[in-house]
Structure formats: structure tokens, C-alpha cells
Amino acid sequence: MKNKVVVKKANDEIKFYLKNDKGEFWLFTQPFSKGVYEWFKDGRSENEILRFDKWKKNKRLGDTVQRIPREIKYVTKYVIPYEIAA
């Protein structure tokens, strides 16, 4: 399974997770925004996120999309190897 970003809504927050063949790993949490939640609610592949080009339509969504590659890099480099070794 390739990397996929999924979200879970909890209270007034959106929790972002990286899902792949090794499991599901928390990326970050941010305040709820309907536009961001709607775009991610069915999950998005890493490639879809990297190709995102609608920056001007929703600034919060654009800021979130820019943050995700950095978070994925951190999780795949530091969190996943530690979780597998444990």
C-alpha cells in the first residue's frame, strides 16, 4: 500500500494520519475547517497531495497541504522505524 493521508474528526479538531502497509501513524492535529475536512475525508494519496494546485481557493487547505510532505518525511524517517523495532 502506498502512503495515504486520512483524517478523523474529533470535537473541533481534525487529526491527520499517515496510512500505509506498516500501519497508521499520527501526523498532526489542527483546528476543524470544513474545507480541509471535506477535501481529506475520503483519504488522499501522497501523490494527489503533491500535485495539489488550488492554492488560491482555500488558504487553510493550501497551508495544510504544504505541511503534510514535511510531516510524512519526519514520520517515515523517525517514527516508523522506531515503532517497527519496538
Side-chain angles (χ1 to χ4, degrees), residues 18-32:
L18 174 66
K19 188 173 183 179
N20 60 24
D21 57 345
K22 295 178 176 103
E24 189 172 280
F25 304 92
W26 176 79
L27 292 171
F28 61 94
T29 302
Q30 74 178 33
F32 181 81

Side-chain angles (χ1 to χ4, degrees), residues 31-72:
F32 181 81
S33 167
K34 185 178 179 186
V36 173
Y37 179 75
E38 289 293 321
W39 200 72
F40 281 100
K41 71 180 181 181
D42 297 324
R44 295 286 177 163
S45 72
E46 188 174 8
N47 289 335
E48 280 181 285
I49 293 166
L50 293 174
R51 289 191 319 253
F52 182 78
D53 62 353
K54 296 177 176 72
W55 304 111
K56 294 183 181 180
K57 292 190 178 191
N58 185 331
K59 181 172 177 4
R60 186 172 286 182
L61 178 58
D63 292 345
T64 301
V65 169
Q66 285 182 316
R67 181 178 181 186
I68 289 174
R70 181 179 66 239
E71 300 293 341
I72 289 174

Side-chain angles (χ1 to χ4, degrees), residues 8-25:
K8 295 179 184 176
K9 182 181 168 199
N11 298 328
D12 290 332
E13 297 177 329
I14 304 173
K15 296 181 184 269
F16 290 80
Y17 294 89
L18 174 66
K19 188 173 183 179
N20 60 24
D21 57 345
K22 295 178 176 103
E24 189 172 280
F25 304 92

